[in-house]
């Protein structure tokens, strides 16, 4: 039992997956802060990522960092350091563009540019992808009954064609995705071949199905409730996939004038989050996707053939 001194409850023996979207505080939506403005804004990613790494290391947690290519190109030493500490570095695309707004060839160009920036920095191959704002699921709210408009199949095929092993972009909730999509890791068949899909943790709070392992909900939903949801998934043999951003560890983030939906998602619940996160990390055993897959814990039916 790897219980930490002073912890009230023992650390769960089940492995779960921790992911980090490695991006700047201003990487929200290209309509809110367009890429042409990014180089003029103060960079906080080095400082906030170091703070995050220190918290992860204090609790023995390792993660998959989905690095934005734009960040990788400007901070290669940061990526090298992350990889050197035993974390996995995958990619979050280059310019944080909505997948649904790109043509298939624009998507391929953005993916390859990002992968090259990441691999040049780390010297290790990129195996995984996460779309900006879960947008591989289509235009948010653009489908039936408030669901997203549907998986961008052309982009999914590009991931397979370019040798990406897994995707972590399809949210099984209304608006950002579709609640009819599986909440467990699963194999997606595409015209180009299969790929492993790792959906983010979802849970129900006050009757609403939320992404509970990321963003506002991860910062605000009590750890007790999160740990109960994670234990329920683990009892079914599934890992929970949690998701952090370095800017969530910024004690004094620069303020932008944002539309309300972004204001809550971006600034709600930041106060006290480092302590809440540390408590959660002390009760879970968190590993990168790469390490989880290497353990062979997923059902063979979910895994694409190697
Ligand atoms: Zn992002």
């Amino acid at each position: 039992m790897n219980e930490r001194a002073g912890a009230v409850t023992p650390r769960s023996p089940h492995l779960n997956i921790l992911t980090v979207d490695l991006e700047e505080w201003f990487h929200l939506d290209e309509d809110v802060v367009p890429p042409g403005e990014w180089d003029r804004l103060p960079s906080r990613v080095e400082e906030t990522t170091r703070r995050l790494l220190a918290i992860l290391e204090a609790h023995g947690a390792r993660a998959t960092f989905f690095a934005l290519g734009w960040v990788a190109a400007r901070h290669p030493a940061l990526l090298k350091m992350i990889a050197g500490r035993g974390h996995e570095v995958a990619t979050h695309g280059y310019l944080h563009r909505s997948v649904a707004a790109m043509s298939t060839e624009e998507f391929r160009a953005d993916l390859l540019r990002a992968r090259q920036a990441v691999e040049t920095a780390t010297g290790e191959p990129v195996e995984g992808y996460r779309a900006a704002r879960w947008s591989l699921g289509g235009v948010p709210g653009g489908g039936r009954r408030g669901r997203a408009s549907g998986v961008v199949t052309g982009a999914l095929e590009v991931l397979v064609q370019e040798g990406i092993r897994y995707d972590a972009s399809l949210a099984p909730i209304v608006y950002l995705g579709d609640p009819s999509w599986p909440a467990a890791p699963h194999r997606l068949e595409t015209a180009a071949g299969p790929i492993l899909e790792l959906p983010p943790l979802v849970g129900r709070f006050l009757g609403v199905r939320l992404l509970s392992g990321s963003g506002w909900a991860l910062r605000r939903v009590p750890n007790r409730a999160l740990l109960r949801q994670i234990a329920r998934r683990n009892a079914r043999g599934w890992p929970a996939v949690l998701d952090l951003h370095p800017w969530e560890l910024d004690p004094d983030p620069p303020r932008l004038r944002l539309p309300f939906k972004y204001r809550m998602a971006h600034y709600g619940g930041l106060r006290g989050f480092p302590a809440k996160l540390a408590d959660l990390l002390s009760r879970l055993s968190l590993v990168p996707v790469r390490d989880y897959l290497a353990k062979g814990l997923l059902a063979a039916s979910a895994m694409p053939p190697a």
Side-chain angles (χ1 to χ4, degrees):
M1 180 80 53
N2 53 354
E3 185 173 357
R4 286 175 57 78
V8 176
T9 50
R11 190 189 289 260
S12 163
H14 295 282
L15 289 187
N16 286 290
I17 293 172
L18 182 61
T19 68
V20 176
D21 296 351
L22 185 64
E23 60 188 31
E24 291 277 7
W25 59 277
F26 47 79
H27 287 136
L28 301 162
D29 181 329
E30 56 268 32
D31 294 334
V32 176
V33 188
E37 294 181 13
W38 294 353
D39 274 316
R40 290 198 291 274
L41 294 168
S43 171
R44 310 278 276 219
V45 74
E46 298 246 356
E47 182 189 333
T48 51
T49 302
R50 282 174 198 280
R51 188 170 293 138
L52 174 58
L53 288 171
I55 296 177
L56 299 186
E57 274 165 33
H59 298 283
R62 288 178 302 113
T64 293
F65 284 71
F66 291 104
L68 199 64
W70 188 90
V71 169
R74 282 158 183 76
H75 304 275
L78 179 68
L79 269 77
K80 180 95 187 146
M81 181 180 75
I82 293 168
R85 295 191 183 186
H87 304 281
E88 175 184 13
V89 187
T91 189
H92 192 39
Y94 197 92
L95 275 182
H96 215 251
R97 291 182 67 190
S98 163
V99 174
M102 287 188 265
S103 72
T104 303
E105 288 318 308
E106 283 173 328
F107 175 78
R108 189 190 308 275
D110 185 85
L111 172 70
L112 295 183
R113 190 180 179 202
R115 183 168 76 181
Q116 183 170 29
V118 172
E119 292 182 349
T120 299
T122 65
E124 293 177 12
V126 164
E127 298 189 339
Y129 174 78
R130 173 174 287 142
R133 302 185 303 287
W134 315 102
S135 61
L136 188 65
V139 178
R144 286 174 47 247
R145 295 159 64 194
R147 300 164 188 219
S149 59
V151 178
V152 185
T153 50
L156 202 57
E157 287 167 26
V158 167
L159 293 176
V160 177
Q161 288 159 358
E162 298 302 339
I164 298 294
R165 268 179 96 195
Y166 67 88
D167 172 72
S169 308
L170 296 181
I173 59 167
V174 287
Y175 188 65
L176 293 177
D178 189 323
S180 72
W181 294 341
H186 58 285
R187 180 159 87 179
L188 276 173
E189 301 293 342
T190 81
I195 188 168
L196 172 64
E197 176 61 36
L198 293 165
L201 177 67
V202 290
R204 198 170 277 282
F205 293 100
L206 306 176
V208 181
R209 203 174 189 200
L210 293 175
L211 289 187
S212 53
S214 64
W216 178 86
L218 182 64
R219 300 194 299 266
R220 293 307 284 266
V221 172
N223 285 351
R224 255 190 345 274
L226 287 176
L227 289 163
R228 269 201 306 272
Q229 281 180 13
I230 293 169
R232 273 200 295 273
R233 286 180 73 89
N234 293 161
R236 303 172 82 164
W238 310 341
V241 178
L242 309 180
D243 176 32
L244 300 168
H245 301 82
W247 50 257
E248 293 175 289
L249 277 300
D250 196 331
D252 187 23
R255 296 278 159 168
L256 288 168
R257 287 175 65 87
L258 298 177
F260 175 75
K261 65 174 179 174
Y262 288 117
R263 222 162 44 226
M264 187 173 88
H266 211 59
Y267 295 130
L270 289 180
R271 188 188 300 268
F273 183 55
K276 181 180 191 292
L277 177 62
D279 175 68
L280 196 61
L281 296 181
S282 74
R283 296 164 197 273
L284 295 170
S285 302
L286 293 162
V287 296
V289 176
R290 175 193 64 196
D291 297 44
Y292 191 90
L293 298 183
K295 297 264 183 200
L297 295 171
L298 280 186
S301 58
M303 295 292 295

